[in-house]
Amino acid sequence: MRRAVNAWIFQGNPTLFDMEKYLAQSDGVIVWGVGRYASEIAPGDAAYIWRSQGKEKDLAGIIAEGTIMDWPAVQPDDAASALLWRGEAEAELAMRVKIRLKRIASRKEILKRDWMKDDSVLRSMLIMRNPNQGTPFPLMPAEEQRLGAMWRKTGSDWGRDEIIAAMHLYEQLQGKPISKIAGSEVEQLAQKIGRAPTGVYNKLMNLRALDPRDGRTGFEGASKLDQVTWDEFYDAERQEIDVRRLSAERGRLWDGISEGAETSYPSLETEERRLSEKSTEWLLAHYSHRPRNLAPQRRSQRAATYERDAIVALLRKRLAGFRCEVDGCTSERFETSAGEYFIEVHHLIPLAAGGPDTLENTAAVCPTHHRLMHHGKEKRKITALLSDKRSKDKWL
């Protein structure tokens, strides 16, 4: 029988213990105290490390993710933590559990406590309501799903699909106050796309800064992709957004996806970002050891999506030099915040038609040619040319 709780938040106080240094110096395994729920915690459970406010209140929140390795037991503290206590150290022998770390957040990737106050799901977490009860704190299934979705996307660049969803809401809210409180249109969109309400609000303010129709000051910091997407749907001559095209594209991308459904899986962009530090040789080695008949998993939703392999996507981009593979392409290139040129990956035989998620079935293309290959009258010709290019590849 599945247990009611399969995820936990382990809290630490940076005033008493140097949490960041402990995580950074670990070999991938940490030991944490268990003050309660020892009989309910099990190997394989998800574990999130929570930094309480301490002196830097703006950094309170989730700073790391891991997996419970074994059953909680009375055991000594990790020797590596002995010199990191700023206050009185914990007892030598106490109930503790080992956690294998999966990810440690950079400063911009911290999932901040303040952002969760406006979230209709996360504001009800036990650690939000009563943070002094003692660690760990159980996460209910809905809380675990929502927290995981936000955690995976915090600090990552917005994709075109997310920007279009935000732009659609921005246009709907013209002339109305924009609020991020729980239940607002902003918070509802945040639930759907897996972002924090604050992140969606900030994106709307970025779009306001791009909008020549609005004399109010928006937020600086709009990305190049924000500008490209804005230009795609904004008619400068008529000084209006092409609402029909924008609504159609928003519907194609998002209709049929319920809140949290799309974000219960790590996004392709998030996985690519995590793999970006790996060498091309490492990626090729792991790609070559995949089962050759591996098909992407179809996600069961009213609008079908597929769980794509980030290694395939990142390799295809690198092997193409982050350039559009359509001969003679003149589309302007721009850099992402990660310092790489933006490029998209197209499946020559669509996944929905049974096409494999492999290097042989993919091409790197600019956003313009990507849309052309889905909707343009020359899509078959360009697909044939790229398929011929793939047949001549010597990437192995």
Side-chain angles (χ1 to χ4, degrees), residues 105-133:
S106 65
R107 193 177 183 90
K108 77 170 188 174
E109 293 172 335
I110 294 174
L111 181 49
K112 296 181 181 180
R113 178 184 183 277
D114 283 348
W115 298 344
M116 304 181 205
K117 294 178 182 177
D118 298 317
D119 192 273
S120 58
V121 176
L122 300 185
R123 66 178 181 174
S124 299
M125 293 189 302
L126 183 57
I127 195 169
M128 296 289 288
R129 293 184 282 112
N130 198 341
N132 298 319
Q133 279 196 1

Side-chain angles (χ1 to χ4, degrees), residues 289-306:
H289 284 90
R290 298 186 339 154
R292 299 306 293 169
N293 60 348
L294 185 64
Q297 179 180 348
R298 186 183 190 273
R299 301 179 188 169
S300 298
Q301 301 169 184
R302 284 192 290 137
T305 57
Y306 294 83

Side-chain angles (χ1 to χ4, degrees), residues 62-175:
I62 301 292
I63 62 172
E65 174 194 12
T67 304
I68 301 296
M69 293 180 62
D70 53 16
W71 303 98
V74 175
Q75 55 187 298
D77 199 0
D78 188 346
S81 69
L83 300 177
L84 301 178
W85 286 95
R86 292 165 172 159
E88 184 178 351
E90 291 184 343
E92 174 61 23
L93 288 176
M95 185 67 69
R96 296 184 173 95
V97 70
K98 291 182 179 179
I99 301 171
R100 183 175 299 281
L101 293 173
K102 294 173 62 178
R103 175 186 164 203
I104 302 173
S106 65
R107 193 177 183 90
K108 77 170 188 174
E109 293 172 335
I110 294 174
L111 181 49
K112 296 181 181 180
R113 178 184 183 277
D114 283 348
W115 298 344
M116 304 181 205
K117 294 178 182 177
D118 298 317
D119 192 273
S120 58
V121 176
L122 300 185
R123 66 178 181 174
S124 299
M125 293 189 302
L126 183 57
I127 195 169
M128 296 289 288
R129 293 184 282 112
N130 198 341
N132 298 319
Q133 279 196 1
T135 201
F137 297 81
L139 282 170
M140 296 299 103
E143 296 168 348
E144 177 188 1
Q145 179 176 344
R146 175 62 175 148
L147 185 72
M150 284 177 60
W151 167 249
R152 287 189 289 269
K153 288 198 171 183
T154 298
S156 65
D157 292 341
W158 281 58
R160 176 178 176 272
D161 56 342
E162 297 172 303
I163 297 170
I164 284 174
M167 191 171 175
H168 184 265
L169 178 59
Y170 174 80
E171 189 64 11
Q172 286 185 319
L173 294 178
Q174 283 294 301

Side-chain angles (χ1 to χ4, degrees), residues 261-272:
E262 173 69 9
T263 56
S264 60
Y265 297 83
S267 71
L268 183 68
E269 291 80 7
T270 298
E271 293 303 299
E272 283 189 56

Side-chain angles (χ1 to χ4, degrees), residues 38-56:
S39 62
E40 300 180 40
I41 298 171
D45 283 356
Y48 292 94
I49 307 301
W50 179 287
R51 182 190 193 277
S52 65
Q53 289 191 345
K55 295 179 180 179
E56 296 183 84

Side-chain angles (χ1 to χ4, degrees), residues 113-267:
R113 178 184 183 277
D114 283 348
W115 298 344
M116 304 181 205
K117 294 178 182 177
D118 298 317
D119 192 273
S120 58
V121 176
L122 300 185
R123 66 178 181 174
S124 299
M125 293 189 302
L126 183 57
I127 195 169
M128 296 289 288
R129 293 184 282 112
N130 198 341
N132 298 319
Q133 279 196 1
T135 201
F137 297 81
L139 282 170
M140 296 299 103
E143 296 168 348
E144 177 188 1
Q145 179 176 344
R146 175 62 175 148
L147 185 72
M150 284 177 60
W151 167 249
R152 287 189 289 269
K153 288 198 171 183
T154 298
S156 65
D157 292 341
W158 281 58
R160 176 178 176 272
D161 56 342
E162 297 172 303
I163 297 170
I164 284 174
M167 191 171 175
H168 184 265
L169 178 59
Y170 174 80
E171 189 64 11
Q172 286 185 319
L173 294 178
Q174 283 294 301
K176 301 177 182 178
I178 299 178
S179 169
K180 61 180 178 179
I181 64 173
S184 65
E185 291 94 336
V186 168
E187 196 262 346
Q188 290 173 32
L189 179 58
Q191 293 283 342
K192 190 177 188 72
I193 68 176
R195 294 281 180 177
T198 298
V200 174
Y201 177 86
N202 291 346
K203 184 57 64 177
L204 296 185
M205 293 299 102
N206 291 150
L207 294 174
R208 176 181 286 177
L210 299 177
D211 189 352
R213 305 168 301 174
D214 198 320
R216 293 170 294 178
T217 302
F219 289 173
E220 296 182 358
S223 70
K224 289 289 184 64
L225 188 56
D226 289 339
Q227 184 70 67
V228 168
T229 307
W230 177 270
D231 293 343
E232 181 181 350
F233 295 98
Y234 182 72
D235 188 328
E237 183 176 340
R238 301 176 65 179
Q239 293 191 351
E240 64 181 29
I241 287 176
D242 189 333
V243 176
R244 184 187 62 78
R245 282 200 308 114
L246 178 62
S247 297
E249 184 66 353
R250 184 263 181 201
R252 184 184 74 82
L253 293 168
W254 292 103
D255 280 358
I257 299 176
S258 60
E259 291 181 3
E262 173 69 9
T263 56
S264 60
Y265 297 83
S267 71

